[in-house]
Amino acid sequence: MAQQRTDLHLDLDKRRRVLEAWVEKKRQIAVLECEALEVMVEQIGFHETDVAGNGFHRDAIYRSMVAEFSAAARIPTGSVEFAFTDALVVSTSLPEVRAAFAAGRVCAGHVREIVRESAIVSEAVRNKRVDAGVMGLYEAAVLVFAEQETAARTKAHAAQVAAALVGETVTDRHQRAASERCVKVRSVGDGLALLTAVLPEWLAVAIADRLRQMTRQVIRNCAHARDADSGSDSGPACDSGPACDSGRVIFSDDTFATDPDTDTDTDTDTSTDTVMNAEDVAADTRTWDQVQADLLADLLLTADPSAIHGDGLDNIQGRIQVTIAGTTLAGEDERPADLDGHGPLHPDIARDLAGRNTGWSRLFLDPDGMVRQTDTYTPTEGMRRFLRARDQHCRFPGCRMPVHRCDIDHTHDHARGGKTRLDNLAHLCRAHHTLKHPDVSDAHRWTARQERDGTITWHSPLGRTYTDRPTHRVMFT
């Protein structure tokens, strides 16, 4: 007997149709963006004809062409220059990417990241350090990934692939790029200005992480001061604005296994000695972003956080995760290290960090030597190290939140029989962790299933499936 369709089924059908229509429109937009790229390829042909035999005015001719397109489309000159670069590289060096773009399997964002990261391969080919066929290897390895992932994840993967293919040039490029570091200020009106710092990536990541930790501590100090004044307990602080009131966050011992690396480093004594003046707290209505901006200014201008922010900030340090081969650490080779979640890192910097930091862990990737399961709810430290190296970021499709800002989650809920083992554990950021929480109604709750190799398949409330595969260390020999 056929199952009778209900209003709920009809409602889900409508919602699915809306989602499918949106996905199709995004595909059509990608196709149109590729057609726009093809038009720019045609313009590049006109440009080459214009400058032939007229090399003295080549730069002026190019700038005139860019200015024309910029004015006609009302977009910045820099964006037009990038678009012409994308068109030139795709048309001359990346034919498979061009075909995927034309079919709508990748979008302009994917193409932009693939082109950017291909520069290191192009440079190596021009200098005859690698064979011309290496570009085809790069394109194949990156494209198959891009068709399944976001542009942001594609960028990190493409950087790893390029570094693996021509690793000996990565250190040279990083050394040259380091010379471009600078600080600039630009007015944005209404008494505000944009302060831009171009820094080595590992430093920028550490700075951003330290600011985030310090902001969280300021917000906690605010909460504790209010508690002391009112005699109540405000609960855990949040990581988004408004600073102390960003909505309900679900916490449960049954579903959250918090990595101690994520929370204990910023916990401080909350006695009355360290609590701010209640009048200052009452007047503090700053959002998360505003607190971060104030801390940055305070640190740069005074070198130390001001007293009003409370104690406990001085000892907060920025955190980054770096993976480096043992042979490289010992100086036996010069393979690039990996700034997890971002891309290759100069081996000299990785070795210097190792010498300054006592928190490095050796990772033995032999499955026979790895503790894969424990009877306790909490994973062992060895399992945590393995999961941090495997996941690198939140395992929800497309999310790039680094692991030290995520929780370790039991894919199959521990309270419902899920085991504490490597193929049932994964890092999830708080926002995506709560999507599968039992307190969420069935109509809106996501479910997940993890395979033995760490691949997680997510099932949405509309019945669609999304697959997130663990990050692999890319190496070509």
Side-chain angles (χ1 to χ4, degrees):
M1 181 177 178
Q3 185 177 4
Q4 184 177 2
R5 292 178 61 82
T6 65
D7 291 342
L8 177 60
H9 289 106
L10 295 175
D11 181 63
L12 286 176
D13 287 343
K14 292 178 182 178
R15 293 172 184 265
R16 291 191 186 104
R17 284 197 297 271
V18 169
L19 178 60
E20 290 166 0
W22 180 80
V23 170
E24 175 58 21
K25 290 299 181 184
K26 296 295 289 184
R27 189 196 69 81
Q28 293 174 10
I29 289 172
V31 172
L32 290 173
E33 288 176 329
C34 184
E35 292 178 6
L37 180 141
E38 297 293 349
V39 172
M40 301 192 89
V41 171
E42 185 177 3
Q43 175 61 34
I44 290 173
F46 296 152
H47 174 262
E48 293 301 319
T49 301
D50 293 339
V51 299
N54 196 12
F56 183 76
H57 296 291
R58 174 182 289 269
D59 184 60
I61 294 172
Y62 173 76
R63 285 188 284 108
S64 176
M65 176 185 70
V66 170
E68 183 79 62
F69 274 69
S70 174
R74 300 184 299 280
I75 59 178
T77 299
S79 298
V80 174
E81 289 184 298
F82 280 132
F84 273 116
T85 299
D86 294 347
L88 179 62
V89 174
V90 168
S91 64
T92 58
S93 304
L94 302 170
E96 295 303 320
V97 171
R98 188 178 188 176
F101 195 17
R105 299 197 304 272
V106 294
C107 69
H110 291 100
V111 173
R112 188 171 301 116
E113 302 302 348
I114 294 172
V115 170
R116 298 294 182 276
E117 300 304 330
S118 72
I120 182 177
V121 182
S122 297
E123 180 185 26
V125 171
R126 287 196 306 271
N127 295 335
K128 301 188 184 302
R129 294 182 179 180
V130 297
D131 184 78
V134 171
M135 181 61 80
L137 294 176
Y138 166 82
E139 182 182 30
V142 173
L143 183 57
V144 69
F145 183 91
E147 290 182 351
Q148 303 296 326
E149 290 288 357
T150 63
R153 286 191 176 184
T154 298
K155 174 182 173 61
H157 178 74
Q160 291 174 339
V161 172
L165 287 168
V166 289
E168 71 276 8
T169 67
V170 172
T171 55
D172 296 335
R173 286 177 58 84
H174 282 202
Q175 288 173 346
R176 288 197 300 272
S179 66
E180 299 175 3
R181 60 191 185 278
C182 63
V183 176
K184 297 180 179 180
V185 178
R186 178 172 62 85
S187 175
V188 294
D190 296 327
L192 296 177
L194 179 66
L195 176 67
T196 304
V198 178
L199 301 169
E201 188 172 32
W202 66 277
L203 280 177
V205 171
I207 289 170
D209 182 76
R210 188 181 186 217
L211 277 174
R212 182 192 65 82
Q213 294 181 70
M214 296 178 79
T215 301
R216 181 170 61 179
Q217 187 60 46
V218 169
I219 293 171
R220 284 178 172 175
N221 287 346
C222 289
H224 291 316
R226 291 192 180 96
D227 293 343
D229 186 52
S230 64
S232 63
D233 183 6
S234 64
C238 304
D239 276 7
S240 60
C244 298
D245 184 19
S246 60
R248 186 170 71 98
V249 179
I250 303 172
F251 295 89
S252 168
D253 291 337
D254 292 336
T255 56
F256 278 76
T258 304
D259 190 325
D261 285 348
T262 65
D263 283 327
T264 59
D265 58 341
T266 54
D267 287 336
T268 59
D269 181 12
T270 59
S271 65
T272 55
D273 292 338
T274 65
V275 173
M276 293 180 288
N277 184 288
E279 293 181 359
D280 294 328
V281 173
D284 193 347
T285 59
R286 295 175 297 172
T287 65
W288 175 273
D289 289 338
Q290 291 167 352
V291 172
Q292 275 197 318
D294 293 345
L295 278 169
L296 177 63
D298 203 9
L299 285 169
L300 291 176
L301 292 175
T302 68
D304 293 307
S306 63
I308 194 172
H309 290 145
D311 294 341
L313 298 183
D314 295 352
N315 296 323
I316 295 176
Q317 298 179 339
R319 299 168 301 185
I320 59 175
Q321 181 169 323
V322 175
T323 301
I324 183 172
T327 53
T328 307
L329 188 61
E332 297 176 10
D333 58 58
E334 293 298 313
R335 287 187 294 173
D338 188 46
L339 179 59
D340 287 353
H342 294 276
L345 180 68
H346 196 297
D348 287 344
I349 294 176
R351 283 190 284 259
D352 183 61
L353 289 171
R356 296 171 181 267
N357 193 295
T358 59
W360 285 73
S361 301
R362 288 186 300 171
L363 300 180
F364 296 94
L365 302 182
D366 182 356
D368 295 330
M370 173 60 63
V371 178
R372 304 192 66 86
Q373 181 174 339
T374 177
D375 292 333
T376 64
Y377 174 75
T378 304
T380 66
E381 181 56 33
M383 296 170 74
R384 292 179 186 274
R385 289 197 300 268
F386 177 86
L387 290 169
R388 287 195 292 267
R390 184 196 71 180
D391 294 345
Q392 298 190 35
H393 47 63
C394 171
R395 293 298 309 283
F396 188 84
C399 186
R400 295 279 298 162
M401 186 70 73
V403 291
H404 60 262
R405 295 177 61 183
C406 297
D407 301 305
I408 296 179
D409 169 62
H410 287 76
T411 307
H412 179 202
D413 194 349
H414 186 269
R416 300 182 178 182
K419 302 296 184 181
T420 304
R421 65 188 189 193
L422 294 178
D423 58 358
N424 192 48
L425 297 171
H427 285 87
L428 295 178
C429 69
R430 292 286 170 91
H432 291 128
H433 199 162
T434 56
L435 289 179
K436 60 189 290 290
H437 197 278
D439 288 354
V440 178
S441 66
D442 291 342
H444 303 286
R445 185 170 66 245
W446 290 62
T447 60
R449 180 183 179 87
Q450 186 172 169
E451 305 298 333
R452 296 282 294 179
D453 65 353
T455 297
I456 300 177
T457 301
W458 288 82
H459 300 272
S460 79
L462 295 183
R464 294 173 67 95
T465 60
Y466 304 89
T467 301
D468 186 84
R469 295 176 175 81
T471 303
H472 294 289
R473 303 295 183 188
V474 182
M475 184 57 60
F476 294 84
T477 57

